[in-house]
C-alpha cells in the first residue's frame, strides 16, 4: 500500500501522515512517500483502513489505497468549498443523482464533513487517475476553471467534490466509498458511517 500527499495551494506544506491498517501497522510519512503493507489476510478481506488525517494540512490531499483502489482525502479550504457553488451550473450531475456515493455523502460537498472530501481517485470514464488542478483559472485547463480535477486521458473534468462537468466523456461523478470518522482526526475507509443522509 502506498500513500502520497499532493499540494494544491501551498508549496511548503509538510504533512506527516500516519496510516493505520486493520493489523495495527503504523507509519509516519515525511513528507509524502512511504509504503505500508497490510497482512495478506487483511488485503484479501478488503479490510477497512484507518487513516490519520490529524496532520493533513488544509488544502493538501492524502492518497492511500483501499481494496486495490486509490482513495483520495482532500482537506478543502473555505475558498475551495465556495468554488463548489461556482462550478454547479456547469455540472452534469450536480446533485449526484446518477452517481455512486453513500447516502450521507449525497450533498454538494459529497462528504460527511464539508472540509474533508473522501473519494476514489478514479475517472468514471475508463478508469484513469485524474490530475489535481486545484488552482482557480488554471490555464492548463481553462481560463474560467473553478478548480477541481482533470483527467488527461480523454479530458473529463470534475469539480472539487468530484462532480463531473457537462460535456465530459465520464458518465458520472467520481465515486465516494463508504467511510466514517472514528475521531476528528481519524477516518475509517471501508465502513459506513451511521450518520443520516
Ligand atoms: S478515462 Fe478519464 S476521461 Fe477517459
Amino acid at each position: 500500500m502506498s500513500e502520497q500527499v499532493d499540494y494544491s495551494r501551498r508549496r511548503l506544506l509538510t504533512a506527516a501522515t500516519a496510516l493505520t491498517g486493520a493489523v495495527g501497522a503504523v507509519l509516519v510519512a515525511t513528507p509524502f512517500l512511504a509504503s505500508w503493507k497490510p497482512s495478506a489476510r487483511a488485503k484479501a478481506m478488503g479490510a477497512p483502513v484507518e487513516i490519520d488525517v490529524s496532520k493533513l494540512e488544509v488544502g493538501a490531499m492524502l492518497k492511500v489505497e483501499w481494496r486495490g483502489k486509490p482513495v483520495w482525502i482532500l482537506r478543502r479550504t473555505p475558498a475551495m468549498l465556495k468554488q463548489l457553488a461556482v462550478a454547479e451550473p456547469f455540472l452534469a450531475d450536480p446533485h449526484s443523482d446518477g452517481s455512486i456515493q453513500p447516502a450521507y455523502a449525497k450533498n454538494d460537498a459529497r462528504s460527511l464533513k464539508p472540509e474533508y472530501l473522501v473519494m476514489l481517485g478514479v475517472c468514471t470514464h475508463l478508469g484513469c487517475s485524474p490530475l489535481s488542478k486545484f488552482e482557480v483559472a488554471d490555464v492548463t485547463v481553462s481560463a474560467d476553471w473553478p478548480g477541481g480535477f482533470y483527467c488527461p486521458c480523454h479530458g473529463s473534468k470534475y469539480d472539487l467534490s468530484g462532480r463531473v462537468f457537462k460535456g465530459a466523456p465520464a458518465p458520472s461523478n467520481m465515486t465516494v466509498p463508504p467511510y466514517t470518522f472514528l475521531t476528528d482526526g481519524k477516518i475509517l475507509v471501508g465502513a459506513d458511517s451511521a450518520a443520516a443522509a
Side-chain angles (χ1 to χ4, degrees), residues 122-130 150-158 168-170:
V122 178
C123 180
T124 59
H125 182 218
L126 294 176
C128 285
S129 187
Y150 174 72
C151 183
C153 291
H154 312 95
S156 290
K157 299 173 185 172
Y158 302 87

Side-chain angles (χ1 to χ4, degrees), residues 21 29 34 55 74 81 124 131 138 140 145 153 158 182:
K55 294 182 177 62
L74 171 61
L81 290 170
T124 59
L131 304 173
D138 185 332
T140 64
W145 178 241
C153 291
Y158 302 87
L182 298 176

Side-chain angles (χ1 to χ4, degrees), residues 44-116:
M45 292 172 65
V49 178
E50 284 184 30
I51 302 158
D52 186 344
V53 294
S54 62
K55 294 182 177 62
L56 183 61
E57 297 275 358
V58 175
M61 189 166 79
L62 176 64
K63 296 182 177 182
V64 299
E65 197 175 292
W66 168 70
R67 291 188 175 176
K69 295 176 182 169
V71 176
W72 295 349
I73 300 173
L74 171 61
R75 188 171 181 187
R76 292 175 288 202
T77 65
M80 286 171 151
L81 290 170
K82 280 187 185 166
Q83 287 303 109
L84 299 181
V86 174
E88 191 160 316
F90 308 101
L91 301 175
D93 185 16
H95 305 299
S96 300
D97 296 324
S99 301
I100 298 173
Q101 64 279 308
Y104 46 80
K106 192 176 180 297
N107 49 53
D108 291 349
R110 302 189 78 226
S111 61
L112 277 168
K113 296 183 182 183
E115 187 175 0
Y116 291 97

